[in-house]
Amino acid sequence: EAGAILLARNDRLEVAVARGGPSPHTLVAREHPRDRGIGGWVMQKKRPVVVNDALHDPRFDELVDGVIGGYVHSVLACPLLVKNEAIGVVELVNRRSGKFTRENRLAAETLSFSIAAAVENARINDELTASQASLVEYNCSLERRVYERTGELRAANERLASANHRLEETRD
């Protein structure tokens, strides 16, 4: 019925994408502690989990897990792993027909690998873009300094040439 991608931001999990449920648009950018709820457990353990009776599961936290899908009876959550580091969680809530199965978990795990790679690629791209902007700014600064220094050297050379010319005139 509903699902979300939650990304790690320091000690918190932030909803990056939400679909389904009562009002998914209100969930984006919502944060909660990284160690709470089923998603927090998945982050810590770095392994997927299927919970088909969420209300009776000790990891379930109504304030965290319940926010995605309203009334929650089942949750399938997979970590987003990059180089064995959890960068987030994919959380699916309330399978429309029946319970989440092993096949559902395997499909979600497979999808989580692609999502993790896409998130990491986006982060790397952002870092490269920021680095490139910084290098362009630094390059402009260096070009300004070279231009200024060239002007100073040109003026100094002209003064030297003038002084040299006066010296040569005095010798004659």
Side-chain angles (χ1 to χ4, degrees):
E1 293 178 1
I5 297 173
L6 299 96
L7 298 178
R9 303 266 191 253
N10 300 318
D11 63 340
R12 308 199 54 80
L13 277 176
E14 179 182 311
V15 178
V17 177
R19 294 289 182 262
S23 50
H25 60 282
T26 64
L27 298 178
V28 176
R30 189 178 220 162
E31 294 182 343
H32 62 80
R34 186 177 181 154
D35 59 349
R36 287 187 52 190
I38 293 170
W41 184 90
V42 168
M43 283 287 293
Q44 288 177 346
K45 301 297 181 182
K46 299 179 189 174
R47 59 181 220 235
V49 67
V50 171
V51 178
N52 281 312
D53 186 8
L55 295 178
H56 294 101
D57 191 285
R59 299 167 290 196
F60 181 77
D61 184 326
E62 182 67 33
L63 296 175
V64 173
D65 300 308
V67 85
I68 294 173
Y71 174 75
V72 176
H73 55 83
S74 60
V75 176
L76 188 165
C78 293
L80 299 175
L81 299 174
V82 173
K83 298 178 184 171
N84 203 34
E85 282 299 312
I87 63 165
V89 177
V90 174
E91 198 166 295
L92 305 173
V93 176
N94 299 340
R95 186 161 189 256
R96 288 193 179 156
S97 60
K99 298 178 175 188
F100 285 115
T101 65
R102 181 178 182 276
E103 289 75 25
N104 297 140
R105 181 184 55 81
L106 292 173
E109 273 186 278
T110 301
L111 182 60
S112 73
F113 298 137
S114 296
I115 293 169
V119 168
E120 184 64 8
N121 286 341
R123 285 184 181 169
I124 289 170
N125 186 55
D126 288 348
E127 288 174 10
L128 288 174
T129 300
S131 292
Q132 182 182 17
S134 177
L135 286 172
V136 166
E137 184 179 318
Y138 185 67
N139 186 45
C140 288
S141 170
L142 287 176
E143 286 178 359
R144 258 191 320 276
R145 287 175 58 199
V146 165
Y147 178 78
E148 290 167 0
R149 188 67 180 138
T150 299
E152 292 168 5
L153 290 172
R154 186 175 294 120
N157 279 339
E158 288 172 3
R159 286 191 303 274
L160 284 173
S162 176
N164 188 35
H165 181 69
R166 284 192 306 274
L167 279 174
E168 286 179 4
E169 286 179 350
T170 58
R171 276 195 214 157
D172 293 337

